[in-house]
Amino acid sequence: MSVKYVTMGLISKVDKGAYSNIVLNDAFREFFLSPKEKAFMTEIFYGVIRNKKFLDYIIERYTKDIRKEWIRNLLRISIYQITFMNSDDKGVVWEATELAKKYSIAISKFINGTLRNYLRNKDSELKRLDDEKNYEILYSIPKWFYDTLEKQYGNDNLKQAITSLKKIPYLSVRVNKLKYTEEKFEEFLKEKDIQIIKKVDTVYYVNSGLIINSEEFKTGKIIAQDASSYLAAKNLGAMPNELVLDICAAPGGKTAVLAEEMKNSGEVIAIDIHQHKIKLIDTNMKKLGIDIVKAIVIDAKNVNKQGRKFDKILVDVPCSGYGVIRKKPEILYSKNRENIEELAKLQLEILNSAADILKDGGELIYSTCTITDKENTNNIKKFLEERKEFKVEKLYIPENVSGDYDNLGGFCINYKEEIMDNFYIIKLKKGEKC
C-alpha cells in the first residue's frame, strides 16, 4: 500500500466537498500506518490542499487538459514536494514515475517528462510570481479574499497576513484541572520527550500528535483545544453557582472551560441546532468529569423564547472560519464573499437574541474564529448603536498572545500570532435600558 496512492484518493474526496480532517482521520483508522507514514501523509495531504491553486496553475502551464483525477493528484503531490518540502527532487520524480507505471507506461513517461521540465524551471517560476506580486497564485488564495486582506491589513502587511494563514499548525491540548494538574502534565511530556512549543495558561502547543493516543487524553485529563477558543470562554468570567448559557456549543471545548471556571458548581446550558452534536457534548462532558452541563437542541436565533435569563452568556457564533485556515485549508475554496454577508446577518440576529435574555448587570462574550471586519467589528458596532444598555468591558489577553485591539475594545488574534488560531473576542456588559 502506497501512502501517496491513498493520499491521492483523499484529495479527490476533499475536491468533492468532504472535510479534510474527517477524511484524514478515517484513513488513519482504515490503514495501519507507522507514525512516520502518518506524518508524511498529513504533510502532503494538507500541503496540496493549502497550495491547490498554485499547483493547478503549474500543471496547466506544463501540460494540456488532464481529465483523470489520479494523474492530476499525483502531479499535485509531486510538485508540492519539489516546491515546498526538503525532498530529494530526483527521488520524487522517480517515485511518481514508478507509481504511474502501475496504470500505464505511456502515462509514466508523461509524468516523468512533466516533472523534470518543472524541476528545470522551478526557481524562475517562483521568482516571476513573486516579482509580479501575484500572491493569488503563489499563495493559493481567491481574488476576492486577497482583496479583503489587502483592504483590512494594507499593502505593507499583506504578504505577512497571507503567509500566516499557510503555516502548518501545531497540536494543542488543554489540561482539565478538574482531573489533572499542569505539573503532572509537564512531567508526562518530559517522560515522552515531547517539546512544548508555546503555553497559554493551561493550553499547551506541542511537537507531537502522539498524545492523542495517550491514556491522559482518553480519560479526559487533557482535551484538544486551541488557546484562542480557550480565551473566548475564559474571558466570560463564569463563577461557581451561576446560570450560564453557551450558544452554538458543540463539540463542547468552550463549554468545558466554563464548567471548570465554575468549579463544576452551578449550571451551564449548552445549545446547538443539531441533535447529533448534543450527543457529542454529552459524551465529552462525561469524559471530562463535568456534570453541571445540560445540552439541548435550540435554534440560537430563537434562544430568547426559552423563558430563562442568564448571569453570563458565551455567544460564539457560526462564522466563515477564516481564522482556522491552517487547520481546514479547504475553507478558502468552499466559501465566498456572499457567504460572509449572510453570516454577518445571522450572527447579529443571534447576538440580539442572546442579549434579550441576559440579566441586567450580566456579561457576555461575542466571539468568532474568523478575521473579517464584517463578522467582527462591524457587527458589534451595529449592535452597540441599537443596544445602548450595553458597554464594552476589558479583556484578559496574556502577554504572549499577539494581535490587535479594534476601536471598540475587541481583540483580534491575527496574522501577528505565529501559533494560535486567529480569533475575535469582545466582552459586553448589560446595564439597565435607557
Side-chain angles (χ1 to χ4, degrees), residues 61-220:
R61 277 179 65 81
Y62 287 83
T63 68
K64 292 183 179 179
D65 187 37
I66 295 176
R67 297 182 182 179
K68 293 186 185 299
E69 280 184 332
W70 74 267
I71 297 176
R72 178 174 293 275
N73 286 334
L74 180 55
L75 285 171
R76 282 170 166 174
I77 289 170
S78 303
I79 294 169
Y80 171 75
Q81 285 184 276
I82 291 169
T83 311
F84 300 103
M85 292 179 70
N86 186 23
S87 300
D88 171 11
D89 293 341
K90 291 182 179 178
V92 171
V93 175
W94 177 85
E95 193 174 33
T97 303
E98 290 299 304
L99 187 55
K101 280 181 182 177
K102 296 178 181 178
Y103 296 90
S104 161
I105 295 296
I107 292 176
S108 72
K109 291 180 179 178
F110 163 75
I111 293 285
N112 182 278
T114 300
L115 293 177
R116 285 164 64 90
N117 192 15
Y118 171 63
L119 198 52
R120 285 190 293 270
N121 296 285
K122 179 191 73 171
D123 292 341
S124 61
E125 290 280 11
L126 296 175
K127 185 178 185 306
R128 178 179 57 79
L129 289 168
D130 195 44
D131 288 346
E132 294 172 356
K133 290 186 168 53
N134 192 343
Y135 299 149
E136 298 164 55
I137 297 298
L138 194 58
Y139 298 112
S140 293
I141 64 169
K143 177 66 167 64
W144 74 267
F145 191 60
Y146 172 96
D147 292 340
T148 298
L149 292 178
E150 186 177 36
K151 182 179 179 182
Q152 193 153 315
Y153 297 124
N155 192 60
D156 291 343
N157 302 312
L158 179 60
K159 187 173 181 179
Q160 187 183 350
I162 294 170
T163 54
S164 168
L165 299 173
K166 297 292 179 175
K167 290 179 179 175
I168 297 171
Y170 289 99
L171 173 71
S172 56
V173 294
R174 182 177 63 80
V175 171
N176 174 14
K177 293 176 76 173
L178 297 174
K179 283 191 170 187
Y180 208 31
T181 66
E182 295 167 71
E183 292 75 20
K184 288 183 179 178
F185 181 57
E186 288 177 17
E187 286 175 14
F188 164 79
L189 293 177
K190 193 172 182 180
E191 288 172 9
K192 300 295 182 183
D193 196 28
I194 296 174
Q195 182 183 354
I196 299 170
I197 306 299
K198 183 183 181 87
K199 181 177 183 292
V200 179
D201 289 1
T202 56
V203 178
Y204 293 76
Y205 292 82
V206 295
N207 68 339
S208 173
L210 295 178
I211 57 174
I212 296 299
N213 300 317
S214 68
E215 281 302 309
E216 282 73 10
F217 184 81
K218 292 175 183 175
T219 56

